[in-house]
Amino acid sequence: MNIPKQANVIIIGGGVIGCSIAYHLGKLGWKDIVLLERKKLTSGTTWHAAGLIAQLRATQNMTRLAKYSQELYWDLEKETGVVTGFKRNGSMTVALTEERLEELNRQADMARAYDVEIENINKSQIQERYPHLNTEDVLGGVWLPKDGQADPVNITLALAKGARNFGVTIIEDLKVNSIETNDGKVKAVRTHQGIINANYIVNAGGMWGQEIGNMAGASVPLHACEHFYIVTEPIDNLTPELPVLRVPDECAYYKEDAGKILLGAFEPNSKPWGGDGIPEDFEFDSLPEDFDHFEPILERAVKRFPFLDKAGIKTFFNGPESFTVDNRYLLGETPEVKNFFVAAGFNSVGIQSAGGAGKVLADWINSGRPTIDLWEVDIRRMMPFQKNKNYLRTRVSETLGLLYADHFPYRQFETGRNIKRSPIHFHLEKQGACFGETSGWERPNWFLNENELSQKKIPEYKYSWKRQNWFSNSAHEHKAVRNSVGLFDLSSFGKIKLSGKDSEDFLQKICGNNIAVPVGKIVYTQFLNDDGGIESDVTITRLSSDEFIIVTPAATIQKDLNWIKNHIPTDAHCFSYDATSSEAVISVMGPNSRKFLQPLILNSLDNEDFPFGHAKEIEIGMSIARAHRISYVGELGWEIYISSDMAAHVFEQIQERSAEMPIKLCGLHSLDSCRIEKAYRHYGHDISTEDNIIEAGLGFAVKTQKPKSKFGDFIGKNAVEIKKQEGVEKRLMQFVLNDPEPLLYHNEPIIKDDRIVGYLTSGNFGHHLGSSVGMGYVTCKQKGESPEEHLKGNYMIDVAGKRYSATAYLKPAYDPLSNNVKI
């Protein structure tokens, strides 16, 4: 076959993901699409996938994509004539422990909020649906009737046929040897048959995804792991059409097919594979058997389903699948190279994700940005260091097993740790910090109390869905911030420096708030998209006439820097760079923070001299620093930005001062519990690209009448004005449970007058308010409904199948007038 010289889009990879993207781009009417497969379609991972189709995922949008996938597969056969083997025989997940049962009950609540059909079932109902299963120690489970199973190869071939029907060219046995770029944008792929120029290139290369990313100069952090399953010989008297069964407490899943059982495993300690390169001739290949590795799974499975004891094993299969560092796949345009998109690293959920992932990536390419909030799988969440092979191999040995581990709140990764540490890390470690990890940063989440420290206890998590072992520690930290003074290490804050004579005009273009402010003023603002959705939630401080510092969460630094660079006009005198590591941040917060800090700082901290929302250069100890009077806990306080080489000195000065006036070392858990009492929004949970800034209750941070930038009106202005005129369709509210016992995390359904009206986007325990606090969007009965109407009615929050009454707030339950930050 003669290859084309030019394509609009080149898709690299002929597995289920690549074929789905091709199908959906073709369906959108795109022409000149070429899919290249190094061997044959499905020959990497897709051909040996188990083919489990499930709807329920961890969040609303991932569930939306999974639901779309199973609906697409249901209709594909009719559209293409290719039999997909999809059958809705349902799925069951069973619990063997109380902790797992609570997890399943919470998932069931979440499913109902997401409009997924689900049923909590007891032991006898499990036995009825899965005869001969040993349910002696089973406590309960959940049943999803619309889940099922399918033939992964035929689903892929159906998508490929559909794509061809839309005019997509699919070429097999053609490997991409290199990718050419020009001025930071994709240009062409080079194969042994020649060069194909392209406007867009999509990396759907599965376990070859990192190698393909390297060709373009883009980081695609994933690594293959060995994945084991067995297929039995036909079993006499086996009930046909058994549902898919998951027993996560035994790391196992079961699929019945034609009288045989497929038993698969997600063992706690997996076996990374292919880190030194995948063999050139690897195609429909399997890896060597390792029965010793699989035997513990099989032993438990025989006790769980005794039919297996007498069944012969027809196939012992070991095949590689790609995994990522956080068990979420990689989707979207890479920050390093424009028009280079990735859809890879699907962590063993590729079949159930492919339909939805292919659709939203096609929509992303078509629209120029995601059409729904995809932050949790956005490749821009990845840090540059995470492509390191040693790191990847170490981390994915853990992530595969976490698929079936208890998904406890606050669970921390154990591998790939201690990579990024603040300058005062070792000081905090000596003081009993228990560290968590975010984007590679080690951050203190809570501290041992004095008694535990004196006993030389090890600060570590003991996970549970109930109050965990650090609950009281965090409560004391929280109360210190509310009543006295506490210290947080916030050095992981992302810090983006923006310089140039056009910096102000550029920021006026991308920010909703007014950035034309005097030197030293801090502005809380958002970057908006054309729909008024929130792309970023930041503070911007003017350092000089032509220099600003943008402070953003640690997890979003790559995304925000990418957004900034992509929107700087070509004729603008303006440039940005990541300055995160140049400065540490020590935050001193609480009503006594002024009293604590003033002896250390020569500058006056009085209100008239240092008002809220301002930053000044200060002298502290023998160093020069910059103090920002701002707060994410709702109290008087300062964030002190210190050159990294002087941060330890400043911390030591604070420790000396603490001998005279004690200051409490505080972790990120208490920071979060303080912020939720104050109803401060958290990006990625309470606000996202889909949430209009007015509906998010942040209209005060948008100035539609601000001075117009030389580059035009700010992005999203029209959408904001329309929303203000037409009224909101949903509204972000705060809820405080009237019962102090239950714990809120996120995704719990919000019930109003016995009807689900939304779900919590975040939750934590409010130690000052004395009960759990949540935030979530409530849908309006009609567009433009008055805020007062939202406060009427009886609100309840569903927690693990039980409803608890709650008080609803539109203004913060704690310090609604924000007097405390301004005292």
Side-chain angles (χ1 to χ4, degrees):
M1 179 179 182
N2 293 325
I3 66 169
K5 300 297 183 185
Q6 178 70 42
N8 196 2
V9 183
I10 293 175
I11 300 166
I12 305 172
V16 67
I17 306 298
C19 290
S20 178
I21 297 165
Y23 170 86
H24 285 95
L25 279 172
K27 194 172 185 177
L28 286 172
W30 280 55
K31 304 300 180 185
D32 300 321
I33 302 166
V34 177
L35 185 150
L36 303 177
E37 165 53 45
R38 61 185 289 276
K39 297 292 186 181
K40 300 294 183 184
L41 295 184
T42 78
S43 64
T45 294
T46 298
W47 73 276
H48 61 74
L52 310 184
I53 309 296
Q55 303 170 78
L56 186 59
R57 305 298 300 154
T59 63
Q60 184 185 39
N61 278 350
M62 293 301 101
T63 299
R64 284 165 66 182
L65 300 192
K67 283 183 69 177
Y68 173 83
S69 293
Q70 62 99 7
E71 290 164 1
L72 172 68
Y73 302 159
W74 189 253
D75 295 331
L76 259 183
E77 184 174 329
K78 186 185 302 181
E79 178 184 341
T80 66
V82 178
V83 177
T84 62
F86 182 31
K87 56 182 179 180
R88 283 177 170 154
N89 52 323
S91 78
M92 280 195 312
T93 302
V94 302
L96 308 182
T97 67
E98 291 290 349
E99 294 283 12
R100 181 73 68 176
L101 187 61
E102 172 147 359
E103 178 182 327
L104 294 184
N105 288 337
R106 285 177 175 267
Q107 286 179 347
D109 290 343
M110 180 180 71
R112 294 181 187 103
Y114 297 167
D115 198 29
V116 173
E117 189 176 343
I118 194 169
E119 181 183 348
N120 297 79
I121 52 178
N122 58 33
K123 184 183 298 190
S124 62
Q125 291 170 313
I126 292 168
Q127 184 79 59
E128 180 183 342
R129 288 181 171 87
Y130 217 97
H132 311 292
L133 189 72
N134 177 1
T135 58
E136 182 180 355
D137 56 346
V138 170
L139 302 182
V142 292
W143 163 252
L144 290 97
K146 290 188 177 179
D147 282 2
Q149 60 196 62
D151 182 335
V153 171
N154 279 8
I155 284 177
T156 307
L157 296 180
L159 289 166
K161 183 174 181 181
R164 288 189 181 101
N165 291 343
F166 291 128
V168 174
T169 299
I170 297 177
I171 305 175
E172 297 178 288
D173 298 307
L174 187 62
K175 181 184 176 183
V176 172
N177 295 318
S178 63
I179 296 173
E180 297 184 4
T181 62
N182 181 38
D183 196 24
K185 187 176 181 180
V186 295
K187 178 183 178 184
V189 301
R190 185 182 293 272
T191 75
H192 69 269
Q193 290 190 29
I195 293 175
I196 308 175
N197 294 300
N199 298 318
Y200 299 86
I201 296 174
V202 180
N203 175 1
M207 55 188 170
W208 289 271
Q210 185 176 31
E211 177 186 332
I212 296 168
N214 289 339
M215 293 179 188
S219 176
V220 183
L222 55 80
H223 198 294
C225 285
E226 300 182 25
H227 181 212
F228 300 86
Y229 61 73
I230 63 167
V231 179
T232 69
E233 298 283 359
I235 300 174
D236 293 338
N237 302 317
L238 183 67
T239 302
E241 303 296 318
L242 286 172
V244 172
L245 172 67
R246 296 176 179 87
V247 189
D249 294 310
E250 295 177 339
C251 308
Y253 63 87
Y254 301 72
K255 183 183 83 167
E256 183 274 332
D257 190 21
K260 301 183 288 290
I261 289 288
L262 181 152
L263 168 67
F266 291 106
E267 67 279 14
N269 297 304
S270 65
K271 299 177 65 177
W273 178 84
D276 296 325
I278 300 172
E280 182 65 29
D281 60 352
F282 196 88
E283 192 174 355
F284 293 103
D285 293 298
S286 61
L287 303 179
E289 295 180 4
D290 188 344
F291 191 78
D292 289 341
H293 188 77
F294 189 77
E295 189 174 19
I297 306 293
L298 182 57
E299 287 178 352
R300 290 192 292 265
V302 168
K303 293 177 182 178
R304 182 64 49 203
F305 192 54
F307 268 24
L308 294 175
D309 191 29
K310 297 179 182 180
I313 296 178
K314 179 183 179 181
T315 304
F316 187 112
F317 188 81
N318 177 12
E321 298 189 26
S322 59
F323 287 81
T324 65
V325 302
D326 58 5
N327 261 335
R328 292 178 276 146
Y329 54 86
L330 306 174
L331 200 73
E333 186 179 31
T334 65
E336 301 94 342
V337 185
K338 290 184 178 180
N339 291 1
F340 183 57
F341 286 79
V342 173
F346 277 80
N347 304 281
S348 211
V349 294
I351 304 301
Q352 61 186 275
S353 304
K359 180 183 187 304
V360 294
L361 191 72
D363 290 341
W364 190 334
I365 294 170
N366 187 57
S367 303
R369 65 178 176 85
T371 54
I372 66 171
D373 174 34
L374 295 171
W375 169 238
E376 65 191 289
V377 293
D378 192 321
I379 193 170
R380 291 173 295 178
R381 75 188 186 277
M382 294 289 106
M383 297 295 119
F385 83 90
Q386 289 176 314
K387 68 180 179 180
N388 178 282
K389 288 184 178 180
N390 287 332
Y391 169 79
L392 283 171
R393 184 173 58 251
T394 302
R395 174 56 69 85
V396 299
S397 68
E398 178 185 13
T399 55
L400 180 147
L402 289 176
L403 286 173
Y404 274 15
D406 288 283
H407 299 99
F408 289 121
Y410 308 107
R411 183 157 189 160
Q412 303 295 321
F413 289 108
E414 296 178 4
T415 56
R417 296 292 299 269
N418 289 309
I419 298 172
K420 298 169 74 172
R421 289 173 280 196
S422 89
I424 62 172
H425 175 92
F426 294 105
H427 280 289
L428 301 177
E429 188 175 40
K430 290 178 182 178
Q431 296 296 317
C434 186
F435 293 95
E437 182 259 339
T438 296
S439 302
W441 280 97
E442 293 294 321
R443 310 193 303 177
N445 281 342
W446 55 278
F447 286 82
L448 295 174
N449 59 41
E450 290 183 8
N451 185 50
E452 292 168 331
L453 197 58
S454 66
Q455 296 177 21
K456 298 183 178 180
K457 287 192 173 182
I458 297 174
E460 59 185 357
Y461 282 89
K462 295 180 181 178
Y463 297 115
S464 170
W465 285 96
K466 309 299 183 185
R467 284 161 171 75
Q468 296 185 15
N469 61 309
W470 50 266
F471 185 84
S472 62
N473 301 59
S474 191
H476 287 121
E477 296 168 18
H478 182 117
K479 291 174 182 177
V481 173
R482 287 282 180 254
N483 301 317
S484 181
V485 61
L487 180 150
F488 299 92
D489 178 12
L490 302 182
S491 300
S492 62
F493 272 171
K495 308 167 194 78
I496 300 171
K497 287 284 184 73
L498 188 76
S499 302
K501 64 181 182 181
D502 289 331
S503 294
E504 179 187 301
D505 273 299
F506 168 65
L507 289 173
Q508 289 288 68
K509 173 70 176 179
I510 66 167
C511 296
N513 213 335
N514 184 16
I515 312 299
V517 296
V519 172
K521 186 74 174 71
I522 303 170
V523 180
Y524 173 57
T525 188
Q526 290 73 35
F527 302 160
L528 304 180
N529 56 41
D530 290 331
D531 297 327
I534 300 168
E535 293 286 343
S536 184
D537 184 61
V538 301
T539 61
I540 299 179
T541 303
R542 187 164 207 155
L543 301 178
S544 67
S545 61
D546 60 358
E547 185 178 22
F548 297 80
I549 184 170
I550 302 163
V551 178
T552 186
T556 62
I557 178 68
Q558 295 299 312
K559 176 179 183 289
D560 296 340
L561 189 60
N562 178 248
W563 182 267
I564 289 168
K565 288 183 175 180
N566 282 350
H567 285 84
I568 295 178
T570 55
D571 59 342
H573 185 272
C574 178
F575 65 93
S576 61
Y577 63 94
D578 181 2
T580 300
S581 61
S582 66
E583 292 183 319
V585 183
I586 296 175
S587 174
V588 177
M589 294 285 151
N592 292 339
S593 56
R594 179 183 286 118
K595 183 179 178 182
F596 180 90
L597 284 172
Q598 190 63 90
L600 297 174
I601 297 174
L602 293 179
N603 315 61
S604 169
L605 300 180
D606 289 345
N607 245 329
E608 56 271 22
D609 299 319
F610 204 143
F612 179 75
H614 286 75
K616 290 186 177 183
E617 183 181 280
I618 61 167
E619 295 181 21
I620 180 168
M622 297 186 184
S623 72
I624 301 296
R626 191 178 64 255
H628 292 211
R629 189 174 167 190
I630 195 75
S631 175
Y632 194 51
V633 297
E635 300 294 343
L636 171 71
W638 283 263
E639 293 172 359
I640 303 172
Y641 289 69
I642 323 116
S643 173
S644 293
D645 55 359
M646 293 188 286
H649 165 71
V650 171
F651 181 79
E652 288 158 4
Q653 295 294 302
I654 289 174
Q655 287 293 88
E656 288 183 21
R657 168 67 174 146
S658 184
E660 302 171 0
M661 180 181 178
I663 186 171
K664 186 75 171 174
L665 296 180
C666 300
L668 274 294
H669 290 336
S670 58
L671 181 86
D672 188 66
S673 61
C674 285
R675 75 92 192 165
I676 204 166
E677 283 190 333
K678 192 66 179 70
Y680 287 150
R681 281 61 169 155
H682 185 275
Y683 188 83
H685 286 96
D686 308 310
I687 49 179
S688 73
T689 56
E690 279 190 85
D691 299 316
N692 186 280
I693 192 169
I694 303 301
E695 294 178 332
L698 297 175
F700 66 90
V702 183
K703 303 295 188 292
T704 55
Q705 302 303 314
K706 70 178 182 177
K708 190 173 183 178
S709 162
K710 66 186 279 188
F711 303 116
D713 285 328
F714 70 86
I715 300 169
K717 179 181 179 181
N718 290 339
V720 171
E721 292 178 331
I722 290 171
K723 184 65 68 175
K724 284 183 174 181
Q725 293 168 4
E726 295 184 350
V728 299
E729 298 176 40
K730 61 179 182 178
R731 192 180 299 274
L732 186 62
M733 299 179 68
Q734 185 188 41
F735 300 90
V736 179
L737 294 187
N738 298 323
D739 185 333
E741 187 59 29
L743 298 179
L744 301 177
Y745 300 114
H746 58 86
N747 291 329
E748 295 88 349
I750 302 168
I751 316 294
K752 182 179 182 181
D753 300 332
D754 209 36
R755 182 174 66 91
I756 295 178
V757 293
Y759 61 91
L760 297 185
T761 50
S762 65
N764 206 326
F765 195 88
H767 297 285
H768 181 85
L769 297 176
S771 193
S772 284
V773 184
M775 296 176 67
Y777 290 89
V778 173
T779 55
C780 300
K781 289 183 179 178
Q782 56 188 16
K783 186 183 287 188
E785 185 178 45
S786 69
E788 291 72 23
E789 285 297 315
H790 269 71
L791 294 176
K792 295 179 181 178
N794 297 313
Y795 279 100
M796 305 190 85
I797 308 296
D798 199 329
V799 182
K802 186 176 179 180
R803 294 182 176 185
Y804 296 89
S805 64
T807 303
Y809 296 86
L810 285 170
K811 292 184 177 180
Y814 177 75
D815 189 23
L817 299 180
S818 295
N819 293 320
N820 291 356
V821 298
K822 301 172 184 176
I823 58 176

